[in-house]
């Protein structure tokens, strides 16, 4: 018996040393979304490269050319432009923000590169895909600030007749749209509301000679302390792009320290948030996925915009989930992706 106790003590001692060694080598994990991001208590962040980053090269047959442009060297903000090769007259420009819960993602991700190149061709528009700073290293409002900086950079391009940007002669700066999916849609919305609040309700005046025509929100990433029906009851597959646990983790990593999910940046309908009647003076299109946990929150957002007298339209894409247009290769998702591109084209051309 004494021999067994001594052996057990030795195993326990060895295990304790191993655990201590692992903690010393790897640190204590504070937050984690499996396969996407791991944030340690010492401030380090790991992001496995689950989606490859690609250069701006595109297949010639697509009819679109693409290049990267630096927006701000100090904060390392850059953008990838997509310009249709065959066009008549000057083209509308869509400023696009990628998704990823504010914490992952890139304008260089292959899925966004493919989707936005195809969208530029289908909708016959120039797309400026902004690569903004990520949380938790740069918590909100960093991404919003980067979005505003991108707009102000565009404003300078419009003012500078001597600009040497390769795409500048082809865009109509009186025909500009903000767009994004998931967290990127949240950024597009908050960029406009912050511009309004910073300029006494005069966002349009702040970006002249740019004329903002509308906002396109694809599966906007909003939240709240109270759960909606779809958040509580939607059944998500293990491969779903967004489940409730991941959503909560993204918000803990992205929001300012001490804030909860009723912070106005997360929940624009919460008590104390902005009054929609006083903001958002541009037409809005909201694209919703039927199988998304955010479906009910998006529908509530659309209804609130309507009650506030805003020009808003929405579409619910049947049978698909969050981020289907960039992450799913199923036949149904491909069909719905063509539908979403057609709706965006109609929105852009109809305003």
């Amino acid at each position: 018996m004494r021999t067994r106790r001594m052996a057990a003590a030795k195993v326990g001692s060895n295990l304790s040393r191993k655990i201590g060694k692992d903690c010393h080598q790897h640190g204590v994990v504070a937050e984690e979304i499996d396969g996407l991001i791991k944030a340690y208590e010492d401030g380090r962040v790991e992001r496995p490269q689950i989606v490859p980053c690609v250069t701006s090269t595109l297949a010639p047959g697509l009819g679109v050319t693409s290049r990267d442009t630096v927006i701000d060297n100090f904060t390392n903000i850059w953008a990838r432009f997509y310009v249709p090769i065959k066009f008549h007259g000057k083209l509308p420009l869509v400023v696009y923000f990628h998704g990823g819960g504010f914490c992952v993602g890139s304008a260089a991700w292959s899925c966004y590169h493919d989707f936005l190149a195809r969208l530029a061709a289908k909708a016959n528009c120039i797309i400026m895909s902004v690569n903004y700073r990520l949380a938790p290293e740069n918590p909100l409002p960093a991404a919003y600030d980067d979005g505003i900086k991108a707009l102000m950079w565009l404003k300078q391009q419009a003012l500078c007749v001597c600009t040497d940007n390769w795409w500048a002669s082809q865009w109509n700066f009186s025909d500009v749209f903000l767009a994004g999916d998931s967290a990127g849609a949240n950024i597009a919305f908050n960029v406009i509301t912050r511009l309004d609040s910073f300029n006494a309700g005069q966002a349009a005046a702040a970006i002249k000679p740019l004329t903002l025509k509308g906002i396109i929100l694809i599966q906007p990433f909003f939240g709240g302390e109270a759960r909606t029906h779809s958040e509580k009851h939607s059944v998500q597959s293990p491969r779903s792009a967004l489940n409730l646990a991941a959503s909560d983790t993204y918000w803990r990593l992205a929001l300012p320290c001490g804030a909860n999910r009723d912070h106005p940046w997360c929940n624009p309908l919460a008590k104390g948030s902005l009054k929609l009647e006083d903001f958002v003076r541009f037409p809005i299109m909201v694209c919703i996925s039927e199988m998304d946990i955010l479906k009910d929150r998006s529908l509530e957002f659309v209804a609130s915009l309507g009650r506030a007298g805003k020009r808003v339209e929405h579409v619910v894409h049947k049978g698909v989930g969050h981020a289907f247009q960039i992450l799913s290769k199923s036949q149904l998702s491909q069909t719905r992706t063509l539908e979403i591109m057609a709706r965006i084209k109609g929105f852009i051309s109809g305003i």
Side-chain angles (χ1 to χ4, degrees), residues 13-27:
S13 176
N14 290 340
L15 182 60
S16 296
R17 283 198 296 270
K18 184 179 186 300
I19 292 172
K21 183 179 179 182
D22 288 346
C23 287
H24 177 72
Q25 288 180 342
H26 304 292

Side-chain angles (χ1 to χ4, degrees), residues 177-199:
F177 295 80
L178 289 192
D181 67 288
S182 194
N186 179 298
I187 293 170
F189 177 77
N190 277 291
V191 162
I192 289 303
T193 57
R194 284 167 70 79
L195 270 176
D196 253 351
S197 63
F198 293 164
N199 295 278

Side-chain angles (χ1 to χ4, degrees), residues 31 41 62-63 71 136 217 290 296 322 336:
E31 297 283 3
E41 287 188 352
L62 192 58
I71 303 298
L217 307 180
E290 182 185 31
D296 289 347
H322 194 78
R336 297 289 181 259

Side-chain angles (χ1 to χ4, degrees), residues 198-274:
F198 293 164
N199 295 278
Q202 299 298 317
I207 60 174
K208 281 186 177 180
L210 303 182
T211 301
L212 186 63
K213 290 293 190 68
I215 309 170
I216 302 164
L217 307 180
I218 304 172
Q219 303 134 16
F221 185 45
F222 295 126
E225 287 297 305
R227 304 298 193 187
T228 66
H229 183 272
S230 61
E231 287 171 342
K232 289 188 292 186
H233 300 295
S234 290
V235 178
Q236 301 294 304
S237 73
R239 299 181 63 185
S240 173
L242 186 70
N243 56 43
L244 195 57
S247 175
D248 289 352
T249 302
Y250 282 136
W251 283 118
R252 287 194 298 271
L253 290 169
L255 285 170
C257 184
N260 66 19
R261 293 190 307 276
D262 280 336
H263 190 287
W265 296 339
C266 176
N267 187 357
L269 305 183
K271 185 177 180 180
S273 296
L274 57 86

Side-chain angles (χ1 to χ4, degrees), residues 50-324:
I50 58 166
V51 179
C53 288
V54 296
T55 66
S56 59
T57 304
L58 289 169
L62 192 58
V64 174
T65 186
S66 176
R67 294 184 198 170
D68 296 341
T69 301
V70 174
I71 303 298
D72 183 73
N73 278 308
F74 182 74
T75 53
N76 197 31
I77 306 169
W78 58 274
R80 179 163 293 180
F81 281 82
Y82 300 88
V83 181
I85 295 171
K86 296 179 181 180
F87 64 94
H88 302 287
K90 297 202 174 206
L91 298 175
L93 184 140
V94 176
V95 181
Y96 194 94
F97 302 98
H98 66 78
F102 307 103
C103 299
V104 298
S106 169
W109 267 13
S110 59
C111 54
Y112 279 107
H113 188 55
D114 174 68
F115 172 70
L116 294 178
R118 292 168 57 207
L119 179 60
K122 295 281 187 183
N124 200 35
C125 64
I126 296 173
I127 296 178
M128 173 187 176
S129 178
V130 180
N131 200 71
Y132 53 87
R133 290 172 292 170
L134 299 176
E137 302 95 322
N138 302 282
L140 296 175
Y144 305 151
D145 293 341
D146 293 350
I148 292 173
K149 185 167 287 187
L151 273 183
M152 292 307 171
W153 179 87
L154 264 184
K155 172 181 176 178
Q156 291 305 312
Q157 305 309 301
L159 290 170
C160 183
V161 294
C162 59
T163 181
D164 59 355
N165 278 314
W166 60 282
W167 53 271
S169 63
Q170 303 175 37
W171 72 302
N172 180 359
F173 53 77
S174 296
D175 203 5
V176 178
F177 295 80
L178 289 192
D181 67 288
S182 194
N186 179 298
I187 293 170
F189 177 77
N190 277 291
V191 162
I192 289 303
T193 57
R194 284 167 70 79
L195 270 176
D196 253 351
S197 63
F198 293 164
N199 295 278
Q202 299 298 317
I207 60 174
K208 281 186 177 180
L210 303 182
T211 301
L212 186 63
K213 290 293 190 68
I215 309 170
I216 302 164
L217 307 180
I218 304 172
Q219 303 134 16
F221 185 45
F222 295 126
E225 287 297 305
R227 304 298 193 187
T228 66
H229 183 272
S230 61
E231 287 171 342
K232 289 188 292 186
H233 300 295
S234 290
V235 178
Q236 301 294 304
S237 73
R239 299 181 63 185
S240 173
L242 186 70
N243 56 43
L244 195 57
S247 175
D248 289 352
T249 302
Y250 282 136
W251 283 118
R252 287 194 298 271
L253 290 169
L255 285 170
C257 184
N260 66 19
R261 293 190 307 276
D262 280 336
H263 190 287
W265 296 339
C266 176
N267 187 357
L269 305 183
K271 185 177 180 180
S273 296
L274 57 86
K275 294 181 179 180
L276 294 178
E277 295 87 348
D278 300 331
F279 292 91
V280 194
R281 295 167 173 80
F282 310 96
I284 301 178
M285 182 174 74
V286 183
C287 299
I288 303 167
S289 295
E290 182 185 31
M291 312 304 290
D292 191 353
I293 64 168
L294 301 178
K295 181 189 74 171
D296 289 347
R297 198 170 291 281
S298 296
L299 289 171
E300 183 183 1
F301 176 69
V302 168
S304 296
L305 287 171
R307 288 193 296 270
K310 304 304 176 182
R311 181 179 168 186
V312 58
E313 61 181 80
H314 78 282
V315 57
V316 178
H317 297 280
K318 301 293 186 181
V320 287
H322 194 78
F324 73 89

